């Protein structure tokens, strides 16, 4: 009964599996990825996914002057995820907060396994992720764009890391949750993989899922990653040719 009322409010046909924004359960929001969009960065990328607009700039590898951060046998990969004050409905207070510090950390950890850090001892690679507009799923959008920006900077990598979330909304396992689905939904599972090996470099889970639902959600997120992975490759090819 509750489902029927909700669907009526959302203008949905209660018998169809369509979501509030008209997508099928396994459908990504419209997306585009561009490489090499900033003149002054060593590498850059721009990504749109639904209402998300994300710009990434990469600097390095370059010498790291802060001794306490320096690693004698490899580069450090520093990521800064930042949401612009105008990126969300309620103006976001500028500067870092708990959430952005957490997302910066997991982004760095998701990207690190793909980068040949050992080729650049005592160096740093700096990744700046700027969320210009947010509509749910920005951490995944940031990781996907960051990996294209790293490739654009010529940083040697095993693979392009790609990220996508799946979750549960209105009792159904769905791909790539919108902001509304994320806020009102039952679960959100962001996943990052290296498509060539299938290695998972990020797996977070927020909400409640049965083991069966979790498996379905994970597989759906990986399917989403594979679709976005094609767009990453196309962005690099468009910039540098085959
Ligand atoms: N959001 C917001 N204000 C904030 C932080 C987040 O409006 O200060 C919105 C934004 O659209 C974001 C969504 O909430 O994409 C979900 O945030 P979450 O922390 O789940 O991370 P995300 O899904 O973006 O990776």
């Amino acid at each position: 009964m509750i489902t029927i009322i909700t669907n009526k409010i959302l203008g949905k046909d209660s018998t169809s599996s369509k979501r509030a924004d008209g997508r099928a359960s396994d459908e990504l929001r419209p997306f585009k990825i561009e490489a090499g969009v900033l003149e002054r960065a060593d590498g850059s990328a721009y990504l749109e996914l639904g209402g998300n607009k994300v710009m990434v700039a990469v600097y390095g590898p370059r010498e790291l002057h802060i001794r306490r951060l320096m690693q004698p046998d490899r580069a450090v990969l520093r990521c800064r995820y930042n949401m612009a004050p105008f990126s969300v409905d309620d103006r976001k207070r500028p500067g870092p907060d708990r959430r952005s510090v957490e997302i910066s950390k997991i982004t760095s950890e998701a990207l690190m396994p793909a980068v040949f850090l050992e080729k650049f001892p005592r160096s740093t690679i700096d990744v700046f992720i700027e969320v210009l507009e947010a509509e749910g799923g920005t951490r995944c959008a940031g990781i996907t764009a960051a990996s294209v920006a790293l490739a654009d900077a010529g940083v040697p990598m095993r693979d392009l890391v790609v990220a996508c979330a799946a979750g549960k909304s209105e009792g159904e396992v769905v791909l790539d949750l919108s902001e509304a689905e994320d806020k009102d939904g039952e679960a959100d599972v962001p996943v990052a993989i290296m498509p060539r090996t299938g290695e998972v470099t990020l797996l977070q889970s927020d909400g409640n899922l049965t083991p069966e639902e979790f498996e379905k959600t994970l597989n759906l997120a990986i399917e989403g990653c594979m679709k976005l992975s094609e767009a990453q490759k196309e962005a690099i090819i468009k910039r540098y040719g085959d």
Side-chain angles (χ1 to χ4, degrees), residues 83 88 92 99 134-139 179 182-183 188:
M83 257 184 154
V88 285
K92 187 198 161 286
R99 179 176 170 277
E135 198 233 335
T138 58
R139 73 194 61 208
E179 184 179 306
D182 187 352
K183 290 211 166 117
D188 182 25

